[in-house]
Every structure is written in structure tokens, then in C-alpha cells.
Amino acid sequence: MMTETENKWMFRVLLLMALASNVSTGVMVGAIALGGLIVLAGVLRRRALPMADTGLAKAVLLYLIVWIVCAVGAREQMMSMHSVIGTSYRFLPLFFVLLYVRTKEQVRLLVLVFAVSVCINNIVSLWQIAVHGEVWWRPKGLVHSATFLGSHMLMAIPAFFFFSRKNYFCPIERRFLMGMAVFSLIILVLTQTRGAWIAFVLVMIAYILLERRFRRQLLLGGAIGVLCIAGVMLLSSNYSQRLATITNPQIQSNLERTYMWRAAVSMWEEHPVTGVGMDEYGWYYNTIYIPPEAKERPVVEGRPETGHGHPHNNILKHLSEGGILGLAAYFVLHGYILLRLWRQYRKERNTAAFSCALMGILVFLGVHLEGMTDTNINQLSILTEYCMLIGLSLLAGQLEADA
């Protein structure tokens, strides 16, 4: 049995992780390492493993074992093995939340701290636009790129919207969370991340289809939102041009994606079972598969690591780097997560006005739909936040039902 001291310190670690989620990957890694040490100390003291969610643990473990197998046949085995190890600890926030969040009050504090983290990131993003002096400038906030910023907003918007409807937040906190949902939507538009724009529209469609009780209100709110965003697009030639490029196959960025996608398929065809190894795509693409007509090449000639390191597609990344085994592991892991969310949603949809599991489904869809045009699920800041929110989605509804 876990001690009160262990629970108290682990919850403090979770608060630190929530604060770091949109602000600092270094602090996030440090918090995960600290949490791991606390858990390890508890295991050694009790001489027993914590009562983790066995289904999720098996899915993650299978994913990592498959990628270790894929690393054995990689060009640089140690580099691929190091990447697998680097990926493994990013799943820990999921289990930390499920193990050490015990009350709705703890959920409340965790969400509010997470909101502060997103707020800081959003303010920095606005500051970057103001400093640059051009509204068309794509802010990246504190997460390294505008594309990654879009992924973070896709996760934040449903989380804040759903928790703003929960009665264990006081009225001013609910208004703050709803304001953060709107603020995050504005930042999502300002990132000009086309894949994130498309993903958000598809997430909204999914929400309207799944949520029968509030369908009329959602349709009205969605229509108003679309009109507002359309007005911004029409008033800004830069944004309207950016939107128009989504369906234009001759735009250079679209062409570059097709080059990378074709290269990923070619890598898989030559390494069908285990792929080229985790994080090896960049070397193969920039040295062997990059076509002569590609303009986006390594910044430093002769150094492939300075060029594109992924195919801008989660599925093709797993297929090219892990072959059939790696892609199967990807579908098993995230398919199981979706299955768990769906099962929980079926339990909650007739009893909870705003199902936390449905919130998790929307977070899941946002990340993976954008992942069709940008490789995002492997990024440290995105995967750790994704795991934290999935854990909250699975746990919060259960705590509400037990209250």
C-alpha cells in the first residue's frame, strides 16, 4: 500500500509536470525522472510493483519491445535503441495520473495548473507576433515550432471546454477555463498550421455526431465560430492565401510532403518487416531517397541531420522506421487507448452531461488527425501532455461517478 508521503510528493510532481507541459521540456523530463525515482523508492520499500492499469501497461510494453526488435536491424543500432529508451519514459505521465490522482480536488488543481502553463505559452506566442511586427508571422510559443504549437492547442481546447462545465470548479475558475479554450482557439488560428485547422474541423464534426443532447447548441456555436474565423480569413490576405494552399498540390510545401511520403513508402518496401530503425528516417531520406526536385534540403551540406528528420505523417513514420511490426505496434497501442476511452464514454454518456472520456476522445482525434500531415505523436512535449490528458480523461469520470 502506498504511503501518504509518497502520494503527497507524487502529486506535487504531477503539478510540476502540468506546469511544465507547455513551458519547458527540460523541466518536464526532470519531473518525470523525479517521479520515477519516487515510484522506484516505493517499490523497493514495499517489494511490490504499484497496482498499475495492466491493460495500458501491456500495450505500452508491447510497443516498446517491438521497437527494440526493430532497433536490432537498424543502420545505427545504438542510436535507435537510445531513441526507444527516450520514448519509453514519455508514457509515464499516463500511469502517474492513474496511480496518484485520487480525488476531484486533485483533478481540479491539476487542470488549473495545466491552464496556467497553456496561458503562459499562449501569451508568449502573442508576444512573438507583436515583436516580429507582422500578423502573418507564425508563432511557435515555447514548444519549438508553430506545428507543435497547433498540436498543443488541439489538446487544450477540448480539455478546457469540458472541465469548464464541471461543478467542482468554482464559477470564476470555470470562466477562466472557458476563456482559455477561446484563447487557445485564437492561437490555433494564428499558428497557420493547416493540418491543425483541418483536424479541428474534423474534431468538431466528431463531437457534434457523438454528443446528441447538445447538438443544436453545438451547431449554433460552431456556425458562429466558423463565421468569425471566416471573417478573419477574408480580412487578411495572408491567412486566406494560407487556407487556399491546402488543396493546391503545386504549392512547394505540399510537394515536399509528397516527396517525403513517397520516400517513406520506398523505405518500407526495402525494409518491410522492421523498417530502418527509430529516428533513422532523416538519414535515409537526406542521403538516399531525397529526389532531385526537392528544394528543402539539409541546411549544412553533408550533414543529413540538418534536413527533414521525419515524413510529416505519424503512420508513415512508423511504417518506414518500424516496418509492418512497428506500424502494428502503433495501431495496437493507440487503438487500445481509443478503445478504453470509448468503453468509458459508453458508461458515462447517459449519466454525465460532459463526459470526460468524450473529452479524451476529442484530444485523441485532434492529435492523430493532425498527425496525418505532421509527425507529432513522437515529440516529447506533445506525447507527455497527450498521456497526461488521456490519464485524466479515463480517471476523472470514474471519480465523478464514485462521488
Side-chain angles (χ1 to χ4, degrees):
M1 185 175 179
M2 297 175 188
T3 65
E4 185 64 28
T5 300
E6 181 181 344
N7 289 332
K8 182 186 298 184
W9 277 102
M10 278 304 300
F11 184 68
R12 290 172 179 172
V13 168
L14 281 167
L15 291 177
L16 179 60
M17 287 167 50
L19 182 61
S21 60
N22 283 254
V23 175
S24 172
T25 55
V27 174
M28 174 62 83
V29 171
I32 292 174
L34 178 59
L37 290 174
I38 294 173
V39 173
L40 179 60
V43 168
L44 294 175
R45 181 182 55 80
R46 293 187 302 270
R47 297 183 181 180
L49 294 173
M51 298 295 293
D53 187 304
T54 54
L56 287 169
K58 288 176 181 177
V60 172
L61 187 60
L62 175 64
Y63 178 85
L64 296 174
I65 290 173
V66 167
W67 278 97
I68 289 173
V69 172
C70 294
V72 172
R75 179 184 62 90
E76 291 190 13
Q77 294 179 351
M78 292 309 298
M79 189 184 80
S80 289
M81 196 70 71
H82 183 268
S83 296
V84 176
I85 294 171
T87 299
S88 63
Y89 67 80
R90 302 175 193 185
F91 293 105
L92 289 177
L94 170 62
F95 298 100
F96 289 168
V97 169
L98 294 175
L99 282 169
Y100 294 99
V101 177
R102 304 291 183 84
T103 65
K104 290 191 292 185
E105 176 63 16
Q106 288 181 319
V107 172
R108 169 182 163 271
L109 290 173
L110 202 59
V111 171
L112 289 175
V113 172
F114 172 63
V116 170
S117 177
V118 175
C119 186
I120 294 171
N121 196 18
N122 290 357
I123 290 172
V124 170
S125 301
L126 290 180
W127 176 253
Q128 289 170 346
I129 294 175
V131 169
H132 193 270
E134 299 288 348
V135 72
W136 52 263
W137 176 256
R138 298 183 64 194
K140 61 181 181 179
L142 297 168
V143 293
H144 307 302
S145 78
T147 299
F148 296 168
L149 183 59
S151 295
H152 280 279
M153 296 304 102
L154 285 170
M155 292 187 285
I157 293 168
F160 294 143
F161 173 74
F162 273 72
F163 279 119
S164 73
R165 317 311 298 168
K166 300 298 182 179
N167 59 14
Y168 45 89
F169 292 87
C170 70
I172 191 170
E173 291 169 347
R174 293 200 294 269
R175 288 193 290 271
F176 171 59
L177 293 176
M178 181 58 77
M180 283 305 306
V182 175
F183 191 8
S184 298
L185 177 58
I186 292 171
I187 297 298
L188 177 64
V189 174
L190 293 177
T191 64
Q192 301 183 56
T193 304
R194 297 168 300 169
W197 289 352
I198 296 171
F200 179 75
V201 172
L202 295 176
V203 167
M204 284 301 302
I205 292 173
Y207 185 30
I208 291 170
L209 292 175
L210 290 171
E211 184 56 90
R212 292 172 294 180
R213 286 170 293 182
F214 308 107
R215 192 165 291 166
R216 290 184 180 179
Q217 297 94 316
L218 289 170
L219 285 170
L220 177 60
I224 294 172
V226 168
L227 288 174
C228 293
I229 294 172
V232 172
M233 295 293 182
L234 292 173
L235 291 173
S236 171
S237 60
N238 291 304
Y239 281 83
S240 59
Q241 289 172 9
R242 181 75 176 169
L243 183 64
T245 62
I246 292 176
T247 57
N248 187 344
Q250 300 307 313
I251 294 295
Q252 190 62 38
S253 61
N254 293 349
L255 284 173
E256 296 290 341
R257 273 176 169 74
T258 62
Y259 301 152
M260 288 181 275
W261 293 345
R262 291 171 188 167
V265 173
S266 296
M267 290 179 206
W268 167 66
E269 289 174 342
E270 295 187 14
H271 306 81
V273 180
T274 59
V276 298
M278 185 174 283
D279 287 344
E280 287 278 12
Y281 174 91
W283 185 90
Y284 279 88
Y285 178 71
N286 293 304
T287 59
I288 299 174
Y289 293 97
I290 188 167
E293 59 270 26
K295 295 183 179 179
E296 296 180 7
R297 296 179 170 275
V299 177
V300 181
E301 188 175 355
R303 294 185 60 187
E305 69 274 13
T306 63
H308 283 293
H310 57 80
H312 286 77
N313 181 289
N314 286 338
I315 293 174
L316 290 178
K317 175 179 171 61
H318 284 78
L319 182 65
S320 60
E321 295 185 347
I324 292 297
L325 287 179
L327 184 62
Y330 169 78
F331 281 129
V332 168
L333 171 60
H334 296 286
Y336 181 75
I337 289 173
L338 181 59
L339 178 63
R340 287 288 301 275
L341 289 168
W342 179 254
R343 287 175 176 172
Q344 185 72 20
Y345 169 59
R346 291 185 64 182
K347 294 178 182 178
E348 296 175 1
R349 62 182 174 182
N350 295 322
T351 58
F354 291 89
S355 164
C356 290
L358 179 54
M359 175 194 80
I361 290 172
L362 300 183
V363 169
F364 178 98
L365 290 176
V367 171
H368 289 284
L369 287 171
E370 192 200 354
M372 299 302 291
T373 55
D374 291 295
T375 306
N376 57 6
I377 196 63
N378 64 312
Q379 300 299 326
L380 191 152
S381 65
I382 295 172
L383 182 53
T384 51
E385 182 177 321
Y386 169 85
C387 287
M388 184 178 69
L389 291 178
I390 294 298
L392 279 175
S393 301
L394 291 170
L395 181 73
Q398 296 176 3
L399 294 175
E400 292 170 15
D402 294 339

